Amino acid sequence: MTAAPDLPTVTEGATALSISGLTKRFGATLALDEASLAVRPGTVHALLGGNGSGKSTSIKVLAAVHQADAGQLTVGGREYDLRSFDSVDARAAGLRFVHQDLGLFDGLSIAENFALDAGFPLQAGTRIRWAHLHERVTSVLDSYELHVDPRTPINELRPADRTMVAIARALQDADTSADGESLILVLDEPTASLAQHESALLLARIRRLADQGQTVVLVSHRMSEVLSVADDFTIFRDGRTVATLVDASPTEDELVELMAGRAVDALRPVAASSAADELRLEVRGLVSGPLAGIDLQARRGEIVGVAGLVGSGRSSLLRTIFGDLSPRAGTMSINGRPHVPRDVAGAMRDGVALVPEDRGREAAFADLTIADNLSMTRLRTYWSWRGMNARAEQDVSRRLISDFRVKASGPAAPFTSMSGGNQQKVILARWLQRDPAVLLLDEPTQGVDVMSRVDIYRTVREAARRGTAVLVASSDASELLALCDRIVIIREGRVDEDLDAETLDPDDLTRKLLRATSVRQEDETA
Ligand SMILES: Nc1ncnc2c1ncn2[C@@H]1O[C@H](COP(=O)(O)OP(=O)(O)OP(=O)(O)O)[C@@H](O)[C@H]1O
């Protein structure tokens, strides 16, 4: 067990931003309860907390998406009442936000994306001065060491560059804003969908921003990354600030303990293989999307990781098995019988379940309750000649909410009233209760806090023990190693390596993944 760090450390000296008494209620839920935050200028300040602890709500108050019930903000010596703080105030205060979805238009160029935010420079009131725009954007990109042509379409950029373009766009008026004061950049999980080497590149650039005097508030669930880049840490629990660590070097266990409010010894995953000899899933010569002939097998009770760089076809593999993409060639079988799904319903009849990466958009019924979302795949269980057994549905939902540690006011609450991480847990719970023959998980713990991540690994392991074969696509090397028995690496559309997870560590896996990438990428990562 680790000793709890001293709580909380008082910040002295100058602050770029300070919040006090921040309170926000949603109906019966007290999302923020007199929370506080003090950020020193020129630092990376990590804002940490479990799912539902209030991080997004506080950011949404700063971005004027929500108005607080109480709270004061001081920025650059000016005080604001957070009950009436609006987006004009937020901009004037020098606050700039980059949300997880980045808000970039993929088909447009970098320069066009910049101009959509700041306006197109015009000549004679009508003609766009393209040369001027490109010159200005190039100079901003250069200042963030992004040496790319401003005419490049967003969808041709590597993932870390895309995030960096969103950051550069948010800071494009850094020289002219807020009376020359530096801006405060708020980043909400910027690395959530990035592979380890892309994250490393982005974090190095974020660190450089702070070293050049920018102030960065960073929300992330990836502890090792936060520890590598942050100077100061504020930890939220149940809407309150439970600790502020200034210029500190806490251990991961100390941070997790502060977030969880309990010791962390019991939180380590236990990964004992339950693989049997019997084949559950067999894929031969599969050609689909970028896949050019995949051969893959998963046995009963086996958890197989699918690794590969962005664009390698990990998601296409899962979607093809789930009947959502039609293969151009190849065969699939489940339990020795041909698996030729014409659509998703056909794949489900064969015993396949998929938890997709973009759960919010693809997997959730946002307008319905949590109970409805949980029971969506098992509705038949609750119907009889007497009609719908709502009590049984509520009871099962209550048990799942408790088993998966979902933080919600109850099964009847709207799905959208939960925090992002809790929504992820509900979708996972929905599919795991089906005992599928083959379970396909795409980035299963993206946005999920470190405490719940271990619960989810245990649940997946338990499903495997009951006989399910699991395929996990993940960009997080540590996750693949914690969860899987075997890891296949997809490269150039084929399974290039098939590795025993026990023999690897995250660095080995990342090195193997990067083997075939361009020299440019390796240079930048170094
Ligand atoms: N629009 C809303 N309506 C009702 N309740 C809400 C709403 N938004 C947030 N909440 C509640 O407020 C609390 C804090 O949620 P918030 O989204 O701020 O958490 P978070 O720390 O960002 O979590 P995560 O890590 O999962 O993103 C949760 O209990 C959540 O259910």
Side-chain angles (χ1 to χ4, degrees), residues 274 303 435 456-468:
S274 44
I303 306 181
D435 272 342
I456 288 172
Y457 294 163
R458 288 213 179 103
T459 313
V460 172
R461 175 56 67 194
E462 192 45 46
R465 206 165 283 134
R466 288 198 301 269
T468 296

Short mmCIF file of all heavy atoms in Angstrom, two decimals, residues 274 303 435 456-468:
data_model
loop_
_atom_site.label_atom_id
_atom_site.label_comp_id
_atom_site.label_asym_id
_atom_site.label_seq_id
_atom_site.Cartn_x
_atom_site.Cartn_y
_atom_site.Cartn_z
N SER A 274 -7.53 -18.24 -20.12
CA SER A 274 -8.54 -19.28 -19.99
C SER A 274 -8.76 -19.97 -21.34
O SER A 274 -9.78 -20.57 -21.58
CB SER A 274 -9.85 -18.66 -19.48
OG SER A 274 -10.11 -17.45 -20.17
N ILE A 303 -8.23 -14.30 -25.41
CA ILE A 303 -8.33 -12.86 -25.69
C ILE A 303 -7.17 -12.50 -26.61
O ILE A 303 -6.00 -12.63 -26.24
CB ILE A 303 -8.28 -12.02 -24.40
CG1 ILE A 303 -9.35 -12.50 -23.40
CG2 ILE A 303 -8.45 -10.54 -24.71
CD1 ILE A 303 -9.39 -11.73 -22.10
N ASP A 435 -23.16 -12.89 -23.21
CA ASP A 435 -22.33 -14.08 -23.39
C ASP A 435 -22.17 -14.43 -24.87
O ASP A 435 -22.54 -15.53 -25.31
CB ASP A 435 -22.94 -15.29 -22.66
CG ASP A 435 -22.45 -15.34 -21.23
OD1 ASP A 435 -21.42 -14.69 -20.94
OD2 ASP A 435 -23.09 -16.01 -20.42
N ILE A 456 -13.21 -3.32 -15.95
CA ILE A 456 -13.60 -3.74 -17.30
C ILE A 456 -12.72 -4.91 -17.76
O ILE A 456 -13.21 -5.89 -18.31
CB ILE A 456 -13.54 -2.55 -18.27
CG1 ILE A 456 -14.72 -1.62 -17.95
CG2 ILE A 456 -13.58 -2.99 -19.72
CD1 ILE A 456 -14.72 -0.31 -18.67
N TYR A 457 -11.42 -4.83 -17.48
CA TYR A 457 -10.53 -5.95 -17.86
C TYR A 457 -11.01 -7.24 -17.18
O TYR A 457 -11.02 -8.30 -17.78
CB TYR A 457 -9.09 -5.67 -17.43
CG TYR A 457 -8.42 -4.53 -18.15
CD1 TYR A 457 -7.27 -3.94 -17.66
CD2 TYR A 457 -8.95 -4.02 -19.34
CE1 TYR A 457 -6.65 -2.88 -18.31
CE2 TYR A 457 -8.34 -2.96 -19.99
CZ TYR A 457 -7.19 -2.39 -19.46
OH TYR A 457 -6.59 -1.34 -20.10
N ARG A 458 -11.38 -7.10 -15.92
CA ARG A 458 -11.83 -8.30 -15.20
C ARG A 458 -13.10 -8.86 -15.83
O ARG A 458 -13.26 -10.07 -15.95
CB ARG A 458 -12.13 -7.95 -13.73
CG ARG A 458 -10.89 -7.70 -12.94
CD ARG A 458 -11.07 -8.16 -11.47
NE ARG A 458 -9.83 -7.91 -10.77
CZ ARG A 458 -9.62 -6.89 -9.95
NH1 ARG A 458 -10.60 -6.07 -9.67
NH2 ARG A 458 -8.45 -6.71 -9.39
N THR A 459 -14.00 -7.97 -16.22
CA THR A 459 -15.26 -8.42 -16.81
C THR A 459 -15.02 -9.11 -18.15
O THR A 459 -15.65 -10.13 -18.45
CB THR A 459 -16.21 -7.22 -17.02
OG1 THR A 459 -16.21 -6.47 -15.83
CG2 THR A 459 -17.61 -7.66 -17.34
N VAL A 460 -14.09 -8.56 -18.92
CA VAL A 460 -13.78 -9.18 -20.22
C VAL A 460 -13.14 -10.56 -19.97
O VAL A 460 -13.47 -11.55 -20.62
CB VAL A 460 -12.83 -8.27 -21.04
CG1 VAL A 460 -12.35 -8.97 -22.30
CG2 VAL A 460 -13.54 -6.97 -21.40
N ARG A 461 -12.23 -10.61 -19.00
CA ARG A 461 -11.58 -11.88 -18.66
C ARG A 461 -12.61 -12.91 -18.21
O ARG A 461 -12.56 -14.08 -18.55
CB ARG A 461 -10.52 -11.60 -17.58
CG ARG A 461 -9.81 -12.77 -17.01
CD ARG A 461 -9.12 -13.64 -18.03
NE ARG A 461 -7.99 -13.05 -18.72
CZ ARG A 461 -7.44 -13.59 -19.82
NH1 ARG A 461 -7.92 -14.69 -20.35
NH2 ARG A 461 -6.42 -13.01 -20.41
N GLU A 462 -13.61 -12.42 -17.46
CA GLU A 462 -14.67 -13.30 -16.96
C GLU A 462 -15.51 -13.84 -18.14
O GLU A 462 -15.86 -15.02 -18.17
CB GLU A 462 -15.55 -12.50 -15.97
CG GLU A 462 -16.52 -13.29 -15.14
CD GLU A 462 -15.92 -14.54 -14.54
OE1 GLU A 462 -14.80 -14.48 -13.99
OE2 GLU A 462 -16.57 -15.61 -14.65
N ALA A 463 -15.79 -12.95 -19.11
CA ALA A 463 -16.54 -13.39 -20.30
C ALA A 463 -15.74 -14.47 -21.02
O ALA A 463 -16.28 -15.48 -21.49
CB ALA A 463 -16.80 -12.20 -21.23
N ALA A 464 -14.41 -14.29 -21.09
CA ALA A 464 -13.55 -15.29 -21.75
C ALA A 464 -13.61 -16.61 -20.97
O ALA A 464 -13.72 -17.69 -21.55
CB ALA A 464 -12.12 -14.78 -21.83
N ARG A 465 -13.58 -16.49 -19.67
CA ARG A 465 -13.62 -17.72 -18.85
C ARG A 465 -14.92 -18.50 -19.09
O ARG A 465 -14.94 -19.70 -19.00
CB ARG A 465 -13.47 -17.32 -17.37
CG ARG A 465 -12.88 -18.44 -16.54
CD ARG A 465 -12.39 -17.94 -15.19
NE ARG A 465 -11.13 -17.23 -15.30
CZ ARG A 465 -10.85 -16.07 -14.74
NH1 ARG A 465 -11.76 -15.46 -14.01
NH2 ARG A 465 -9.68 -15.52 -14.89
N ARG A 466 -15.99 -17.76 -19.40
CA ARG A 466 -17.26 -18.44 -19.68
C ARG A 466 -17.30 -18.99 -21.10
O ARG A 466 -18.29 -19.57 -21.51
CB ARG A 466 -18.43 -17.47 -19.45
CG ARG A 466 -18.69 -17.15 -17.98
CD ARG A 466 -20.09 -16.57 -17.77
NE ARG A 466 -20.29 -15.35 -18.55
CZ ARG A 466 -20.02 -14.13 -18.11
NH1 ARG A 466 -19.59 -13.96 -16.88
NH2 ARG A 466 -20.24 -13.09 -18.87
N GLY A 467 -16.24 -18.73 -21.88
CA GLY A 467 -16.15 -19.38 -23.19
C GLY A 467 -16.11 -18.45 -24.39
O GLY A 467 -15.91 -18.89 -25.52
N THR A 468 -16.29 -17.16 -24.17
CA THR A 468 -16.26 -16.21 -25.30
C THR A 468 -14.83 -16.07 -25.84
O THR A 468 -13.88 -16.08 -25.06
CB THR A 468 -16.77 -14.83 -24.81
OG1 THR A 468 -18.14 -14.96 -24.43
CG2 THR A 468 -16.65 -13.76 -25.87
#
